[in-house]
Amino acid sequence: MLETIHALKVQNSFAELPAAFYTRLSPQPLTEPRLLHAQRDVAALLGLSPNVFADPAFLDVCSGSVPLPGGTTLAAVYSGHQFGIWAGQLGDGRAHLLGEVSAPSGSWELQLKGSGRTPYSRMGDGRAVLRSSVREYLASAAMAGLGIPTTHALALVVSDDPVYRETVETAAVVTRVAPSFIRFGSFEHWSRSPENLRALFNYVTDRFYPECRAAGSAEEEVVLAVLRTVVGRTARLVADWQTVGFCHGVMNTDNMSILGLTMDYGPFGFMDGFQVNHVCNHSDTQGRYAWNAQPSVAHWNLYRLASALMGLGLEADALKGQLEHFEAEFLQAYRGNLCRKMGFRQWEEGDDELVDDWWRLLHTQAADFTLCFRGLAQAPVRREPWLAYFKERATADMWLGRYMERLSRDQRPDQERIEQMNGANPVYVLRNHLAQTAIEAAAQGDTGEIDTLLDLLRNPFIERQGYEAYAAAPPDWACSLEVSCSS
Ligand code: AMP
Ligand code: MG
């Protein structure tokens, strides 16, 4: 383990792309920045010892005061469709890529978010508030703990600098870590500039999808193979979101990772009481990004990516052909996840209906997503505690009867089934009210709640004594919590 951030092996291959892809510039330093928190397991990905957190050089880099030694600091340009409408040029309006670290675990880009204005800031101030930064910081760890692909968060730096949103808040910078932050919107940006589009495509393919470049294959075949891979990754990602009750909130094409990672955490939410059409983003008045819309939105976004790739001279039909794999990829992943969550040996005929009725049951009673799934493992053995999650127990009991009939066909020992289910149904998810409590404490400089939450969320399938409140449905005060695009 490296004992100083200076020992990292750093370069920035993104900076070798044509100059039009980015602007080299320094972050705008915060006033008296403080390291509020850092994550040892993310540091470990980079090969860094947690001892570096106490080193002033670590704060210097993570606050944007000093460049990452060996890196090239830049803001990248991209475009995108926002809420279904072409928004034209966007870009890193408040993010700075610092460089790329080669570690035994792979190659990782370090990027600051909230680090000041760039040529792509438009009307924005280049800042991020503490509230949204704590949420991203915790959510990245929660997703990783659930085994869902995500960008990571290494450090959370705060300052008393004021940031003006609906009220005056304070500034924070999150150091994000991912193999790449390239988005669907990065491709859309160059859809009418074949040379740059090709440069971007080759860069992504060489680094992340080399297996798509079989010896001697024509460019067209490589493009189709890469698109096919991104279709698969995106479909599996959204299947993972659906089956933990996660709503992204802003599935604009500029927030869709070309690597199939959950990225750009904003007004996301893990559902408490289940509603199929739950909209976590208060600003999404049309409900475009409702829970039940996420799979079709992902498919629509892949269409936008495919359209951009037409700029490489491919026929629309050939590209469209790859998109047709989306549904099968999604269903396979979705059923696979539900199979484990329901404790079945394998997916059988009739299971789709049983699960549809399960969603209907949860929806009509607004029953708690996480508690109902987790409790289901024990329900056939002890039904009372599970039935207590429902307002109309009789309806829940009827569904349970059908479920137990289905289980009996598997002829599986309870213990084996329960173990499988407990490994697939988390006890702890980052409920809004838990994040809110951690934010309020953090605003007072108290990181105890962040520590507790990270501890639970990193191993969310293991139930801990004494932490019942963290597994429970939200208390009454939390019912009025709202999250919006404001961040
Ligand atoms: P989002 O949908 O939050 O991922 O952001 C959409 C676009 O707005 C991206 O180009 C962001 O970089 C930019 N943006 C969001 N908030 C700010 C801000 N406070 N200052 C500058 N740019 C921002
Ligand atoms: Mg974004």
Side-chain angles (χ1 to χ4, degrees):
M1 285 289 178
L2 306 172
E3 295 294 330
T4 158
I5 198 162
H6 290 282
L8 289 172
K9 239 176 88 192
V10 180
Q11 47 159 351
N12 192 341
S13 61
F14 189 89
E16 287 158 29
L17 282 164
F21 278 78
Y22 57 85
T23 303
R24 292 174 71 147
L25 82 172
S26 301
Q28 291 167 330
L30 297 167
T31 314
E32 289 180 39
R34 308 181 293 279
L35 181 66
L36 189 71
H37 209 276
Q39 302 207 44
R40 32 175 76 221
D41 50 349
V42 180
L45 286 178
L46 304 174
L48 283 176
S49 150
N51 295 336
V52 303
F53 301 160
D55 180 354
F58 184 77
L59 173 62
D60 285 344
V61 169
C62 295
S63 62
S65 310
V66 171
L68 181 65
T72 307
T73 307
L74 59 86
V77 70
Y78 51 81
S79 290
H81 281 82
Q82 298 185 312
F83 291 89
I85 294 161
W86 175 243
Q89 186 197 294
L90 305 165
D92 292 333
R94 51 171 168 173
H96 292 78
L97 178 64
L98 299 181
E100 167 195 324
V101 172
S102 315
S105 67
S107 170
W108 300 98
E109 285 186 356
L110 263 59
Q111 189 200 57
L112 304 182
K113 177 170 173 181
S115 39
R117 300 199 76 226
T118 76
Y120 317 112
S121 301
R122 299 178 294 159
M123 306 299 281
D125 58 6
R127 291 301 180 199
V129 296
L130 175 67
R131 162 178 57 82
S132 67
S133 305
V134 170
R135 282 169 52 85
E136 168 145 11
Y137 189 77
L138 293 171
S140 315
M143 281 304 208
L146 291 164
I148 301 178
T150 179
T151 61
H152 301 285
L154 172 66
L156 176 59
V157 170
V158 299
S159 151
D160 294 333
D161 286 343
V163 180
Y164 301 92
R165 297 292 182 258
E166 285 82 359
T167 59
V168 186
E169 302 186 47
T170 56
V173 171
V174 173
T175 305
R176 307 201 288 188
V177 174
S180 171
F181 293 91
I182 293 174
R183 305 129 196 279
F184 290 10
S186 313
F187 287 84
E188 289 178 282
H189 186 73
W190 298 114
S191 65
R192 289 168 197 278
S193 318
E195 261 179 49
N196 284 338
L197 184 61
R198 186 161 283 117
L200 179 64
F201 176 79
N202 286 334
Y203 175 78
V204 167
T205 305
D206 291 342
R207 293 182 64 75
F208 306 109
Y209 299 120
E211 68 282 1
C212 294
R213 224 190 257 295
S217 51
E219 181 184 71
E220 175 174 340
E221 291 169 293
V222 183
V223 174
L224 295 178
V226 168
L227 179 60
R228 175 72 184 80
T229 309
V230 178
V231 166
R233 285 201 190 193
T234 306
R236 290 193 292 276
L237 177 70
V238 177
D240 284 350
W241 289 355
Q242 298 307 93
T243 51
V244 291
F246 175 81
C247 299
H248 181 283
V250 200
M251 285 177 72
N252 294 338
T253 55
D254 53 298
N255 292 335
M256 298 291 293
S257 155
I258 198 69
L259 302 182
L261 310 171
T262 313
M263 80 179 318
D264 279 18
Y265 292 91
F268 69 86
F270 286 87
M271 260 189 270
D272 298 306
F274 178 69
Q275 293 289 284
V276 284
N277 51 354
H278 176 73
V279 180
C280 61
N281 178 2
H282 196 65
S283 318
D284 181 6
T285 47
Q286 307 283 313
R288 180 178 171 87
Y289 298 135
W291 178 82
N292 57 349
Q294 294 189 127
S296 60
V297 169
H299 190 221
W300 190 89
N301 288 343
L302 285 161
Y303 251 94
R304 305 281 72 81
L305 174 64
S307 304
L309 292 172
M310 281 175 66
L312 292 173
L314 276 80
E315 293 294 329
D317 282 350
L319 290 159
K320 257 195 210 155
Q322 305 308 310
L323 299 178
E324 280 162 16
H325 294 286
F326 180 85
E327 189 178 346
E329 287 274 7
F330 173 79
L331 278 178
Q332 193 189 356
Y334 172 81
R335 288 176 179 149
N337 289 352
L338 283 166
C339 193
R340 286 185 292 280
K341 289 173 84 75
M342 293 267 163
F344 302 153
R345 275 190 203 277
Q346 57 188 31
W347 202 255
E348 288 183 2
E349 204 172 312
D351 289 346
D352 282 315
E353 278 147 47
L354 188 65
V355 166
D356 280 350
D357 289 341
W358 164 253
W359 294 130
R360 196 163 296 124
L361 171 69
L362 296 187
H363 175 84
T364 45
Q365 307 209 29
D368 190 86
F369 189 103
T370 308
L371 288 173
C372 289
F373 264 111
R374 180 71 182 193
L376 190 58
Q378 294 289 345
V381 190
R382 282 175 57 227
R383 51 175 73 189
E384 268 316 304
W386 182 78
L387 286 176
Y389 297 140
F390 298 89
K391 290 179 203 133
E392 291 169 37
R393 292 168 178 228
T395 331
D397 204 26
M398 258 164 52
W399 184 88
L400 184 62
R402 287 169 57 204
Y403 172 67
M404 287 168 67
E405 220 176 281
R406 166 66 181 86
L407 288 183
S408 67
R409 279 192 279 130
D410 271 359
Q411 298 200 339
R412 204 172 182 195
D414 270 336
Q415 206 40 49
E416 182 190 306
R417 175 185 59 77
I418 290 168
E419 262 170 41
Q420 176 191 308
M421 293 177 76
N422 285 350
N425 294 310
V427 185
Y428 310 105
V429 294
L430 183 60
R431 296 173 185 269
N432 267 336
H433 76 280
L434 297 176
Q436 186 60 28
T437 308
I439 290 163
E440 283 166 21
Q444 306 301 316
D446 173 0
T447 55
E449 277 302 309
I450 294 182
D451 282 321
T452 305
L453 283 176
L454 287 177
D455 208 27
L456 299 172
L457 294 170
R458 279 192 192 118
N459 293 293
F461 301 102
I462 297 169
E463 191 168 352
R464 309 268 198 94
Q465 293 299 314
Y467 292 92
E468 290 72 20
Y470 292 86
D476 290 341
W477 65 261
C479 293
S480 58
L481 277 181
E482 276 171 1
V483 285
S484 68
C485 274
S486 147
S487 61

